Amino acid sequence: MHTTLFPPPGPTGTHEFAMSFTSTPRGARLARLFVAHCLDSWGHPYDSEVNETLTLITAELSANAVRHGRVPGRDFHVRLTSEAGGALRLEVSDTRGERRPAVVPPADPEAESGRGLLLVTALADDWGVTDRRGGPGKTVWATLGTFRLSAE
């Protein structure tokens, strides 16, 4: 398991958090909690709009990695970076490259699932899917500009 926990900012003032989690509902919950804690340590308190928004995006992407990207015995990986200018980038990688996410409204409006990517689309400034670096699978990423949220 690769872990980078709350290192000091890099030379350009950027931060990075990266960790692998088991492809289970518990792993998805832990990913959400670790991202919330990381954002808090970077100066975005738990009750801030930035923390709440990115934590919700993390929950949705991690749940999708567990539900749709799970390969038995393989973890999913979360990477969070702060970029110059205040933007935050979240990446959730799994090992199922053939199952690409797509935004589709649920067929049944009363369904209890199927709205995760609709939420990500509404909350993130941008999101997409790329091939996973250094291995099989895909990375679903989302960006969020902290300046956008703090200005509202």
Side-chain angles (χ1 to χ4, degrees):
M1 171 169 42
H2 173 266
T3 305
T4 305
L5 288 177
F6 321 118
T12 60
T14 61
H15 295 276
E16 179 177 348
F17 160 79
M19 189 170 195
S20 295
F21 296 91
T22 59
S23 292
T24 63
R26 181 176 186 267
R29 282 191 307 275
L30 287 173
R32 177 181 53 82
L33 293 171
F34 271 96
V35 165
H37 183 70
C38 182
L39 289 168
D40 181 66
S41 74
W42 291 355
H44 303 287
Y46 290 106
D47 62 350
S48 69
E49 191 171 353
V50 169
N51 195 311
E52 290 176 352
T53 300
L54 204 53
T55 298
L56 178 56
I57 292 170
T58 302
E60 294 300 334
L61 296 184
S62 296
N64 284 352
V66 168
R67 183 174 211 171
H68 304 293
R70 182 176 186 273
V71 172
R74 300 274 179 103
D75 294 341
F76 72 96
H77 187 80
V78 174
R79 181 174 177 257
L80 176 65
T81 57
S82 69
E83 300 174 346
L88 296 166
R89 181 179 175 95
L90 174 73
E91 298 176 355
V92 178
S93 302
D94 64 54
T95 53
R96 297 275 310 260
E98 74 279 7
R99 297 193 70 179
R100 301 283 191 176
V103 178
V104 267
D108 177 6
E110 302 298 317
E112 293 184 13
S113 64
R115 293 178 183 80
L117 289 176
L118 292 172
L119 285 171
V120 172
T121 300
L123 295 172
D125 289 334
D126 196 14
W127 76 274
V129 184
T130 60
D131 290 334
R132 185 177 187 172
R133 282 177 274 161
K138 66 184 169 300
T139 297
V140 182
W141 58 267
T143 59
L144 184 68
T146 57
F147 54 85
R148 173 183 66 99
L149 292 174
S150 57
E152 293 178 353

